[in-house]
Amino acid sequence: DIQMTQSPSTLSASVGDRVTITCRASQSLSHWLAWYQQKPGKAPKLLIYKVSNLESGVPSRFSGSGSGTEFTLTISSLQPDDFATYYCQQYLSYLWTFGQGTKVEIK
Amino acid sequence: QVQLQESGPGLVKPSETLSLICTVSGDSVNSARYHWSWVRQPPGKGLEWIGHTYPSGNINYNPSLKSRLTISVDTSKNQLSLKLTSVTSADTAVYYCAAYEVGAGGRGSWGQGTLVAVSS
């Protein structure tokens, strides 16, 4: 099974900050990685697919990058609507797995 | 865009079987465009992938649940179903169904989720 490790688990930041979340995989994923945003009581919302492709309707302040086993989600200027929990998910293996999540809190 | 709606009992007793239905609209569960999937989230915890289908009809299950789990597709009703036997309190979670576009690396649609509590 491919293990996904996100860091940090919690991140405290202010509006306007640049925020970076990292996801490390136990083996190379090629381009089969996505990022989701989840708010309390809501289903996850896709932000980025195939490592770096911005989903339609997602603000351009979100970006994804990386290759092999290390990937990052960057929010260039944190907005009030961005305080949420973020998850990565791999689709390489036939057993899909999520990272454990990163909660972005108000500093 | 495909839309999904989960339904099922909100409360299940320990050792019994949890049964959920996901009603699909906007496309057919026979469609080769999607992996029909289940994901769950225990209260206050992260997302856990449960399993997904392939257009070929194959189904992949989370190994930690495989011995208790059945995912199936009912084409006559255009529904996806989940059955989890011998439930315990550890199976208390919000259960989501999702339609992942094949080959799209995460693109797709999610249902709103349904909370299932396991308690006597």
Side-chain angles (χ1 to χ4, degrees), chain B residues 30-102:
Chain B
N30 261 335
S31 171
R33 291 183 56 199
Y34 299 102
H35 299 291
W36 304 102
S37 311
W38 289 97
V39 174
R40 72 179 184 178
Q41 185 170 36
K45 296 188 178 181
L47 300 168
E48 180 182 28
W49 168 77
I50 295 173
H52 66 274
T53 69
Y54 284 85
S56 62
N58 291 341
I59 301 175
N60 285 343
Y61 295 116
N62 187 319
S64 69
L65 300 170
K66 187 174 183 178
S67 64
R68 301 190 289 129
L69 181 63
T70 302
I71 293 172
S72 60
V73 169
D74 186 335
T75 56
S76 67
K77 296 180 180 179
N78 215 38
Q79 293 176 336
L80 176 71
S81 73
L82 176 152
K83 293 188 187 299
L84 185 64
T85 62
S86 304
V87 297
T88 70
S89 57
D91 296 309
T92 293
V94 175
Y95 286 77
Y96 295 100
C97 63
Y100 287 82
E101 296 178 20
V102 173

Side-chain angles (χ1 to χ4, degrees), chain A residues 1 31-34 36 38 41-44 46 48-50 55-56 87 89 91 93-100, chain B residues 35 37 39 41 45-49 52-54 60-63 96 100 103-108 110-113:
Chain A
D1 301 3
H31 56 273
W32 296 109
L33 182 107
Y36 293 86
Q38 189 182 34
K42 299 295 187 181
L46 180 69
I48 302 286
Y49 63 97
K50 290 187 178 179
E55 175 68 334
S56 176
Y87 296 92
Q89 186 182 11
Y91 301 89
S93 79
Y94 68 99
L95 304 177
W96 297 349
T97 45
F98 289 94
Q100 78 272 27
Chain B
H35 299 291
S37 311
V39 174
Q41 185 170 36
K45 296 188 178 181
L47 300 168
E48 180 182 28
W49 168 77
H52 66 274
T53 69
Y54 284 85
N60 285 343
Y61 295 116
N62 187 319
Y96 295 100
Y100 287 82
R107 304 191 78 188
W110 289 61
Q112 63 185 26

Side-chain angles (χ1 to χ4, degrees), chain A residues 63-79:
Chain A
S63 64
S65 64
S67 64
T69 61
E70 187 158 332
F71 303 89
T72 59
L73 173 70
T74 299
I75 309 172
S76 60
S77 178
L78 197 66
Q79 298 301 301

